[in-house]
Amino acid sequence: MGFMSGLEDNVTRTISTSSLCLTYYATPRFFVKGGVGVGSADVQVEYQHSTVSYNETGFGLTAGAGMEFRLTKHFALVPSTQWSYQSFDSFKSNVFSLTFNVGWYW
């Protein structure tokens, strides 16, 4: 799931993607992932004591890659990068992210 939000002059914009992804480990540490899903865009405008909202949903794609660094048998650090694309009726969006995750194995 990707997410981006911004606030500017009483306008809040939020873009997110919820995807069903598959991850493939090309080597024991390196992986690539990709998936399809739903993109969502929300805009809220606050003026005086009123709020106006607009929501649009559309098609979403996600692709990414990363490395897994095992620190112990059960614990790993997982830096990765991800690209999310959303296609709506009124616009299209590309979001790039860099994440640092923690993996725990039983």
Side-chain angles (χ1 to χ4, degrees):
M1 177 168 166
F3 174 79
M4 182 183 81
S5 182
L7 176 64
E8 179 182 314
D9 297 328
N10 298 327
V11 177
T12 304
R13 295 176 296 267
T14 305
I15 298 173
S16 63
T17 305
S18 297
S19 301
L20 179 61
C21 290
L22 294 175
T23 301
Y24 172 71
Y25 278 83
T27 69
R29 289 181 18 186
F30 178 75
F31 64 88
V32 292
K33 62 183 175 178
V36 296
V38 176
S40 174
D42 298 296
V43 176
Q44 282 189 332
V45 179
E46 293 182 26
Y47 182 72
Q48 293 179 348
H49 298 291
S50 299
T51 301
V52 177
S53 298
Y54 175 75
N55 179 293
E56 191 172 339
T57 57
F59 176 74
L61 288 174
T62 301
M67 296 281 290
E68 182 175 275
F69 298 97
R70 290 277 180 127
L71 301 179
T72 69
K73 182 179 177 182
H74 298 287
F75 184 71
L77 293 178
V78 188
S80 65
T81 186
Q82 183 169 290
W83 166 76
S84 296
Y85 169 80
Q86 300 86 16
S87 177
F88 304 102
D89 290 336
S90 58
F91 71 99
K92 294 176 181 9
S93 171
N94 286 291
V95 177
F96 294 92
S97 63
L98 179 64
T99 60
F100 293 91
N101 299 305
V102 176
W104 181 260
Y105 295 91
W106 290 259

